[in-house]
Amino acid sequence: MAAQGSVLRRFAVRAGGRRLLSQSQSAAAALTAEQLAEKVRAQKRERQKTQQEVPKDPVLRRVRELIQLTQQLQRVHPNVLAKALKQGMLYQNEEIVVINKPYGLPVHGGPGVKTCITDVLPILAKMLGGMNAKPLHLCHRLDKETTGVMVLARDEGTAHKIQEFFRTRQVEKKYWAISIGTPEPEDGLVDIPIVEKEVESHQSHFKMTLAPNYRISHENGKTYKVRQHKDAQVAVTRYRVLSSSSSCSLLELQPVTGVKHQLRVHLAYGLGCPVLGDHKYSHWSKLAPQKLPKVTLKRLGLEQVKARYLPLHLHARELTLPDGNGSEEKKIHLACKLPRFFFQSLRHLKLEFPEMENKP
């Protein structure tokens, strides 16, 4: 019995030690949690302080406002975003709803995306048509950084019809872009296929690029021109210069085809005039902020190290949908004013634009 009591006492001592150790670990964990909470509070105070500090430079103020707007769009409740899209609506009828897509708002979800247009389509539909309204449908897409006219359909059948219009090139599209440099000639057409390739560098990534090479094929006694790269897609863009001043130009772009990043690739690699703020396609072998001419930096009031904050200046300005019966008179013509940051960049760069374009 004495031996058994000794064993029990030793067990109790060990158990007590474990309890003491467990309590000590809990205290340490609680202390760590308190430290973490204080760190989060400190970061929040720092963000609020940064937001309250208004930069003296007007361009930096606009850039900061744009960055904050983009962040807000990702953080706001879907109901708030749907309400904002409703307020900026350009057109609606019994078949379609046309919105003004804001800068920095992705169309689809993905890694790091908290809010996108697709998420709020059911809410927007109810705001427009009542609680029994069916969700709206996407008819096409715009890049996250592209602004302007975007068409939604009220039902799946209409969506398929409009998608077919896009596929068969029956939709007339006009974009406005500010480019670095002036294309030569100032009015022309770029007809160069585009393909996606992996860029091998210290940070490997994928980009769309030109695939201009063709080979000649002889079949049935006839000669055909065949794309050398089998994955390349036909890409055709019409363009014309609306205004130019020093190192930048305002361009009107008409994409005949609809290849991913087509306008950006044709301008950067085809014409050597990348879109202002296009940090992806201003270089090929690296991911880096766009290198801007000194005169452009001076007019924008920026230093090169701040160029990374410049947004993409590409705007879906006009879109014309065909009538289902082929009537020219019943075509739907849609237009969207420039976003504020685009308009202000035009003024700073001393680029003229049509008188019909009023200040946003």
Side-chain angles (χ1 to χ4, degrees):
M1 289 293 292
Q4 184 178 4
S6 176
V7 171
L8 289 174
R9 282 194 298 273
R10 287 197 299 271
F11 179 80
V13 170
R14 287 197 297 270
R18 283 196 297 271
R19 286 196 296 272
L20 289 173
L21 181 61
S22 177
Q23 291 172 357
S24 176
Q25 289 174 337
S26 298
L31 183 62
T32 303
E34 289 178 3
Q35 292 174 339
L36 180 61
E38 177 56 33
K39 183 178 180 180
V40 171
R41 286 193 291 268
Q43 290 174 342
K44 184 177 180 180
R45 288 193 296 268
E46 185 64 26
R47 284 197 303 270
Q48 291 174 342
K49 180 181 178 181
T50 302
Q51 291 174 356
Q52 292 171 358
E53 295 175 353
V54 179
K56 295 181 180 180
D57 188 278
V59 175
L60 293 182
R61 283 202 301 269
R62 293 198 303 274
V63 170
R64 193 191 67 164
E65 290 172 1
L66 191 64
I67 293 172
Q68 289 177 345
L69 175 61
T70 304
Q71 294 172 344
Q72 289 167 3
L73 288 173
Q74 288 296 299
R75 289 197 298 260
V76 298
H77 191 277
N79 288 351
V80 177
L81 178 55
K83 185 176 181 180
L85 294 178
K86 179 176 180 287
Q87 291 174 342
M89 187 172 60
L90 302 173
Y91 175 84
Q92 67 170 323
N93 61 18
E94 65 279 0
E95 289 189 319
I96 63 173
V97 173
V98 183
I99 61 172
N100 175 8
K101 181 192 168 299
Y103 174 82
L105 182 63
V107 174
H108 298 287
V113 175
K114 297 179 180 178
T115 307
C116 63
I117 289 179
T118 306
D119 292 339
V120 302
L121 292 184
I123 304 171
L124 181 59
K126 288 179 170 57
M127 287 182 175
L128 295 173
M131 295 305 295
N132 295 325
K134 296 181 180 180
L136 297 167
H137 298 263
L138 293 171
C139 297
H140 61 121
R141 62 173 296 168
L142 295 174
D143 292 342
K144 175 182 175 181
E145 297 86 1
T146 304
T147 57
V149 181
M150 187 168 186
V151 182
L152 308 171
R154 293 188 185 272
D155 58 74
E156 192 172 357
T158 301
H160 288 321
K161 180 176 69 175
I162 295 177
Q163 288 165 2
E164 184 66 11
F165 287 157
F166 276 96
R167 191 187 69 81
T168 55
R169 306 178 188 176
Q170 297 184 60
V171 179
E172 299 173 24
K173 297 169 285 184
K174 290 184 180 180
Y175 289 73
W176 278 13
I178 297 179
S179 69
I180 304 299
T182 303
E184 294 182 4
E186 294 190 357
D187 189 336
L189 182 141
V190 182
D191 183 359
I192 308 176
I194 291 176
V195 68
E196 187 171 33
K197 288 185 178 181
E198 182 176 7
V199 180
E200 297 181 359
S201 64
H202 68 284
Q203 188 177 0
S204 295
H205 56 285
F206 286 87
K207 283 184 180 179
M208 307 301 288
T209 189
L210 302 179
N213 296 329
Y214 287 86
R215 61 181 175 83
I216 302 300
S217 175
H218 302 280
E219 296 182 10
N220 301 323
K222 296 182 179 180
T223 301
Y224 299 90
K225 189 170 69 170
V226 182
R227 293 190 301 277
Q228 186 73 32
H229 200 296
K230 64 178 181 179
D231 295 326
Q233 302 178 67
V234 173
V236 182
T237 302
R238 294 190 181 96
Y239 71 90
R240 68 185 180 103
V241 176
L242 298 179
S243 174
S244 61
S245 176
S246 188
S247 61
C248 292
S249 301
L250 173 62
L251 308 181
E252 181 183 82
L253 309 170
Q254 292 182 266
V256 178
T257 55
V259 179
K260 177 182 176 182
H261 296 173
Q262 173 181 318
L263 299 179
R264 298 164 64 181
V265 172
H266 272 173
L267 284 182
Y269 301 151
L271 295 173
C273 299
V275 179
L276 179 65
D278 192 349
H279 308 292
K280 183 181 181 74
Y281 289 107
S282 292
H283 312 278
W284 168 250
S285 61
K286 58 183 178 180
L287 294 171
Q290 186 177 53
K291 183 73 173 178
L292 295 175
K294 289 183 179 180
V295 64
T296 302
L297 290 169
K298 183 177 180 180
R299 290 188 173 181
L300 292 175
L302 287 174
E303 297 178 355
Q304 180 57 46
V305 293
K306 300 294 184 182
R308 66 184 184 275
Y309 295 118
L310 275 174
L312 183 74
H313 287 66
L314 181 61
H315 178 67
R317 178 73 175 88
E318 299 178 25
L319 190 148
T320 303
L321 290 172
D323 175 69
N325 299 319
S327 172
E328 287 290 330
E329 296 179 356
K330 294 183 179 180
K331 282 185 175 181
I332 301 175
H333 180 75
L334 307 160
C336 183
K337 288 185 178 181
L338 295 171
R340 182 182 177 187
F341 75 87
F342 197 122
F343 179 85
Q344 291 177 330
S345 292
L346 287 176
R347 296 188 62 179
H348 281 276
L349 294 169
K350 303 185 185 305
L351 291 170
E352 299 178 356
F353 45 88
E355 294 181 0
M356 69 183 75
E357 184 65 24
N358 298 320
K359 183 177 179 179

